[in-house]
Each structure stands twice: as structure tokens, then as C-alpha cells.
Amino acid sequence: MENKEFKYNGTFQLEKGGQINGIKIAYTTFGNFKPQESKVIWICHALTANSEACVWWEGLVGKGKLFDPDKYFIICANILGSCYGTTGPLEINSDTGEPWYLDFPEITIRDMVGVHEILRTHLGIDKIYTCIGGSLGGQQAVEWAIINPGLIENLILLATNAVHSPWGIAFNEAQRMAIKADNTWTDKSPFAGIEGLKAARAIALLSYRNYNTYKHSQSEDSDDKLDDFRAISYQNYQGEKLVKRFSCHSYWHLSKAMDCHNVGRGRGGVAQALSKIKSKTLAIGIKTDVLFPVSEQILLADHIPGAQYSEIESLYGHDGFLIETVKISEAIEGFFKGNRQVNSSIS
């Protein structure tokens, strides 16, 4: 694993208007790239992840795993707006010499893909054998396959969608309301909004998991307990864990970018946009996902030409796309071997 950085000195125009003068892109590679020879795996990460895919997706990425650096050149780039090295709210605005914080411009998923394109061109990658992403990562992957239809040979979309739903937007807004309720969140400080971000993470976790997840993992052993319940400790623990590694400013901007995800924007609608994809595509749904229900992955498979759909059973809801790596590997291996998987279910 090699952590790297590329500095783009040009002016990057944003979809919502405005621009960023100069962009720093943090990325991680696994394996050796040989032009015209290497099969490139490009991993698009989700909301609060970073470019070190072999850490947060260790069941899929690494020696002896599905995506083995001995067989592939694997790359994951930190997204625009994050706080893990790529230009975002905590980075210095070259126009002012000060951190952006809440002055960071509004961005979209298409802007994230535009930054991926800058890095891809810099690295001399002309073909991506497989582009894969889950959740916000899948939103990037499907956008990329539309923006550059000849680039990606295999497209794998997990627990994601073509349009962010009113349900998903409502969850995001509830989290932003929690951040805004923290009167420090507008402070020009990397530590702004910590208590609000803790509450936001607790709200988010309810959408990442489901009723049965909590019943299985947070039920009490005693009928006599009156307070200090396991579920309470768990929510607080998850909030504390996130604020040690993430920024409320990035959380704010990235959740707003998710809200406006719509592949049909300016393209004549969702069906017409998805029909432009030329990649061999597998959409994977998680049966218990309440945030990105399987109907959204079925829609992708129904409208992307020749796409396949596979469904995974999981106790973990939306987070199953990070946890159920054995089942995901099985689905992808079958896809690579040419097995038809439409409406297949992996328990």
C-alpha cells in the first residue's frame, strides 16, 4: 500500500457554480501499474471513509482476496470535500491563505468524479477494468460510467442509487439539524461542531442498521434494568468514535452532495442517462437495507443495458456492503465468470 498525493494547479469549475484554484488529491495504490498491461481496479469510497481501502474493506482488498494487488493495480482516491488529504473544508483556500471551513463551495457527486478524472489522466490510466463503489461510492461510480462511457469495463454498484431519495435526504437533513444545534459549528476551527457531529452520527447509524441489528447486538441480559441500556452506550460510543477521525464541515458538505445526486439531471431523465452506460454492470442490493432499499438497485439493473442484479441477505442493513465481504466476493466472482445473477439471492 502506498499513500500518495497529486497537486493539480489548474482551475476546477464546479457544477453549482464557482471554482477552486488548485486541488490536492490524496490517493492510495496497491500493486504496480504497467501501462497497457495492468488491470486497474478503481474503488470509490463512501461518506466518511478514506483512500485506504485495504483497511476499511479488508475482506475484499489485499493479498489472497478478491482484489489482489498481485493480480491487479488497485487505486482509491479520497474524494473532494473530505478531510483525509484531498481538498476540502479543512484545507487552505489558496485565494485567502486560510482554511475554507464553511466557506468551502457547494459540491456535487459529478464534481467528485471530475477530480477522479483529473487524477486518472495524470496517472495515464486509459482503461479501468473494474470500478466499484458502495453507497456514496456507488453514486460516484455510476456517474463516472455515464460521464465517460468507454472508460470502465466492469461496473459494480453496491447499496446505491441513481437518485438520492426523499427518505435519504430527510435522514441527511436531520443530521445537519443536529450539527446546527451545536453553537460551535460555525467556529473557524477543525474542532467545531463536535457535539453536533456526535448526534448526527447516532442518527445516521439508525439508517445504516435496522431493528433486527439492534435487537441482536444491543438487547439486555436482564429484565430488571432501568437505565444505562446497551443501546444508549452504543450510540454514544459511535458518535465519539467518529469525531476523533472526521470533521463536521466535511460531513456537512458531503451529505449535501449526496442530496443532489441525480443521474438524470440535464440528461433527459434517469432512464435515458442510465441507458448511456456501456460497462458490463452488476448491481448488488442488501435485503435489509432501509437507507438504500433494494428497489433502488433493481432500478439501476433494469435501466442499465445488460445489467445484472444480485441480492444479499444480511443482519447489518446498509452497512452490509462493508461487512458481508464473503457474500459480496461470491457475487462478484460469479459476475466475472459470466454467471447470470438477475434476481439471485445470496444468503
Side-chain angles (χ1 to χ4, degrees):
M1 180 179 79
E2 292 186 66
N3 294 320
K4 303 175 183 178
E5 180 180 291
F6 170 62
K7 292 183 179 179
Y8 172 70
N9 295 320
T11 297
F12 185 75
Q13 301 293 333
L14 299 166
E15 185 186 5
K16 286 189 174 184
Q19 61 189 35
I20 299 176
N21 296 317
I23 290 178
K24 184 173 67 170
I25 307 171
Y27 64 103
T28 302
T29 63
F30 318 83
N32 298 310
F33 178 60
K34 298 177 182 178
Q36 311 305 320
E37 293 183 36
S38 296
K39 286 187 173 181
V40 176
I41 308 293
W42 196 299
I43 298 170
C44 298
H45 73 71
L47 181 66
T48 65
N50 57 27
S51 63
E52 296 182 351
C54 64
V55 176
W56 52 263
W57 230 357
E58 61 179 349
L60 285 184
V61 183
K63 289 187 180 294
K65 306 295 174 58
L66 178 67
F67 298 128
D68 189 330
D70 290 339
K71 299 177 181 178
Y72 304 105
F73 176 72
I74 305 162
I75 181 169
C76 181
N78 186 227
I79 55 175
L80 180 68
S82 186
C83 55
Y84 288 117
T86 294
T87 296
L90 298 188
E91 298 292 330
I92 300 296
N93 177 354
S94 62
D95 294 337
T96 65
E98 300 290 335
W100 288 92
Y101 296 127
L102 288 176
D103 292 330
F104 193 72
E106 291 191 9
I107 59 174
T108 68
I109 303 295
R110 293 182 192 179
D111 294 328
M112 296 175 191
V113 173
V115 173
H116 291 336
E117 276 283 272
I118 288 171
L119 179 60
R120 177 191 69 79
T121 301
H122 164 70
L123 295 175
I125 296 173
D126 297 323
K127 193 75 176 178
I128 295 174
Y129 176 67
T130 299
C131 182
I132 181 171
S135 194
L136 183 145
Q139 292 175 340
Q140 296 164 60
V142 70
E143 268 289 348
W144 205 352
I146 295 168
I147 288 170
N148 194 340
L151 175 67
I152 299 165
E153 184 174 341
N154 297 291
L155 179 66
I156 301 174
L157 307 171
L158 297 95
T160 194
N161 53 19
V163 180
H164 208 52
S165 68
W167 175 246
I169 294 169
F171 261 113
N172 284 345
E173 179 62 14
Q175 293 168 61
R176 290 189 295 265
M177 289 169 67
I179 290 173
K180 285 192 290 186
D182 183 334
N183 60 14
T184 72
W185 89 283
T186 57
D187 292 354
K188 293 187 174 183
S189 164
F191 307 107
I194 284 178
E195 295 303 319
L197 184 57
K198 288 180 186 177
R201 186 61 165 185
I203 294 167
L205 204 65
L206 299 176
S207 69
Y208 298 158
R209 307 294 174 86
N210 58 53
Y211 177 93
N212 287 327
T213 315
Y214 278 80
K215 182 179 180 181
H216 174 77
S217 64
Q218 304 303 321
S219 291
E220 301 298 332
D221 298 326
S222 170
D223 293 329
D224 300 324
K225 202 161 191 179
L226 294 172
D227 203 351
D228 193 29
F229 297 103
R230 293 178 66 184
I232 293 174
S233 299
Y234 184 68
Q235 294 301 96
N236 280 277
Y237 165 74
Q238 291 294 339
E240 291 280 356
K241 191 166 75 166
L242 183 71
V243 299
K244 290 177 180 178
R245 68 175 183 85
F246 213 72
S247 153
C248 86
H249 300 105
S250 284
Y251 204 88
W252 178 275
H253 282 90
L254 296 182
S255 69
K256 293 282 283 186
M258 290 185 79
D259 286 357
C260 64
H261 170 62
N262 186 333
V263 300
R265 183 173 59 253
R267 296 173 176 144
V270 170
Q272 187 168 328
L274 293 177
S275 72
K276 296 178 181 179
I277 294 177
K278 297 180 179 179
S279 311
K280 181 183 175 185
T281 302
L282 173 64
I284 300 176
I286 299 167
K287 193 172 184 178
T288 54
D289 190 343
V290 297
L291 183 57
F292 290 76
V294 296
S295 59
E296 297 191 325
Q297 293 86 64
I298 292 171
L299 183 147
L300 289 167
D302 283 348
H303 289 93
I304 297 173
Q308 299 181 37
Y309 172 71
S310 184
E311 192 168 291
I312 288 174
E313 293 275 359
S314 176
L315 175 66
Y316 300 102
H318 184 62
D319 272 354
F321 88 89
L322 294 169
I323 297 169
E324 303 287 4
T325 53
V326 172
K327 295 175 183 178
I328 291 168
S329 295
E330 181 182 338
I332 296 172
E333 285 174 338
F335 171 70
F336 283 158
K337 291 175 182 176
N339 299 341
R340 287 298 293 176
Q341 301 188 54
V342 176
N343 296 324
S344 69
S345 181
I346 299 175
S347 301

